[in-house]
Amino acid sequence: MNAAACYFVNGMESETSAIARGLRRRDPDVLDRLIEQYQHRLLRYLVYLTSNRELAEDMFQETWIRVLERGHQYDPKYEFSTWLFSIARHLTVDYLRKKKPASLDGLLDEEEGVSLDPPVLRPSALELVAQQEQAERISAALVGIAAEYREAIVLRFQEGLALEEIAAVTGAPLGTVKSRLYRGLNALLPRLKGAQA
Amino acid sequence: MIRDPHQQARELIACGGQGLTDSQQTGLRAHLDGCALCRDYAAAAEQLVRSLRSVPVAANLALVRTTQMRVRLHAQQLRQRQERLWLIWMSCVLVGLSAAITTPFLWRGFQWLGEWARVSSPVWQVGFMVFWISPALVASLLFLARGIHLSDTNGTSRG
């Protein structure tokens, strides 16, 4: 390992160690900082996982409460985001199982009228409309594919998680993650092409 | 079984260029150089990834503040619960220690009282047992009453 890589790995380890120490102490300042740091990534993941903004916001809060309660279980050897996403996933899957045992796609039926709420944009009205349309098109295409494919795609391409990290979050073997990405991409491409045509 | 080279290439593209060995990367590049269809697929995948990253899904400030407040409140409750538990444990340890130290003296005291009052052994022994166990009984009754009171209060406030 070269010096730069070594520095990077050590830097990451010291950061995750500091997080782990803060979580063990249940330090509210550390938690405040983490909530702010991971707010968008976590919510984005939950929005696509549940296909429901309101539920995603509830799960967002519950995830941080669980992080507080189980903070001592966090292993600083791993990225904090991987642990965070896996907690969020467990909570959401448990909730959805209790609500409707069939699958995560159970919520798709309730999808109508749900918007993924792109945030207020500062540019011109025309740009705003164009961006909103694009976001809605992508969101609609995403919620139209199977939940496990959507999850793999979001974790890989939006959150930038490595394949091994996705496997850790979802609890699926690496081969399954690869196949979900491939199938998800194949399911998504024609939808977006169709929407753009 | 020989795998379809196009599917193989597309599976590698779908992984987003991560975790590919050198030979896989070389093979993929060679395949893309000679296959227009897979090149189009790769371009479409790249465009899709760019589009995905451009989707703005953001948490609003109210959600973040509410979450932080809930987390702080819960942390405080957990800390208080932990402190209470620590107090209970310490009380148990102290009571256990004091019981272990004082019981022999108490036993002798009751024996002396029994002899002084000229009562039979079972009588002063029952007296000792009642005296010994009564603090625990009183404490249990108090805790029970408090528990019933708390559950009634919670039930009323939820109802």
Side-chain angles (χ1 to χ4, degrees), chain A residues 38-64 84-93 96 107 116 150-151 154-155 158-159, chain B residues 57 63:
Chain A
Y38 289 93
Q39 52 176 316
H40 302 306
R41 291 183 68 188
L42 179 63
L43 187 72
R44 196 162 46 203
Y45 171 60
L46 285 167
V47 164
Y48 286 116
L49 189 66
T50 60
S51 312
N52 182 320
R53 172 89 191 205
E54 210 175 306
L55 176 59
E57 289 191 355
D58 287 347
M59 287 297 137
F60 179 89
Q61 295 192 22
E62 292 309 317
T63 300
W64 286 108
L84 179 69
F85 286 139
S86 88
I87 286 184
R89 185 180 198 274
H90 278 119
L91 277 173
T92 308
V93 170
L96 293 174
L107 276 184
L116 293 177
R150 183 169 64 234
E151 183 185 31
V154 168
L155 287 175
Q158 275 198 321
E159 304 312 328
Chain B
V57 178
L63 174 67

Side-chain angles (χ1 to χ4, degrees), chain A residues 69 157-158 163 186 192, chain B residues 18 41 48 52-53 72 74:
Chain A
E69 287 173 348
F157 298 120
Q158 275 198 321
L163 299 176
N186 282 350
L192 280 174
Chain B
Q18 190 248 322
Y41 181 89
L48 171 74
L52 276 173
R53 286 184 181 149
R72 274 182 180 270
H74 197 63

Side-chain angles (χ1 to χ4, degrees), chain B residues 83-103:
Chain B
E83 280 167 11
R84 273 202 298 271
L85 265 177
W86 188 82
L87 273 176
I88 289 171
W89 272 112
M90 282 309 289
S91 311
C92 289
V93 168
L94 285 175
V95 166
L97 273 174
S98 74
I101 293 165
T102 57
T103 300

Side-chain angles (χ1 to χ4, degrees), chain B residues 38-53:
Chain B
C38 287
R39 246 192 339 264
D40 287 348
Y41 181 89
E46 202 182 315
Q47 173 62 36
L48 171 74
V49 171
R50 264 204 303 272
S51 307
L52 276 173
R53 286 184 181 149

Side-chain angles (χ1 to χ4, degrees), chain A residues 25-41:
Chain A
R25 286 198 312 268
R26 290 186 174 142
D27 184 342
D29 293 331
V30 170
L31 278 150
D32 272 1
R33 191 173 57 78
L34 288 172
I35 292 170
E36 279 182 15
Q37 191 178 339
Y38 289 93
Q39 52 176 316
H40 302 306
R41 291 183 68 188

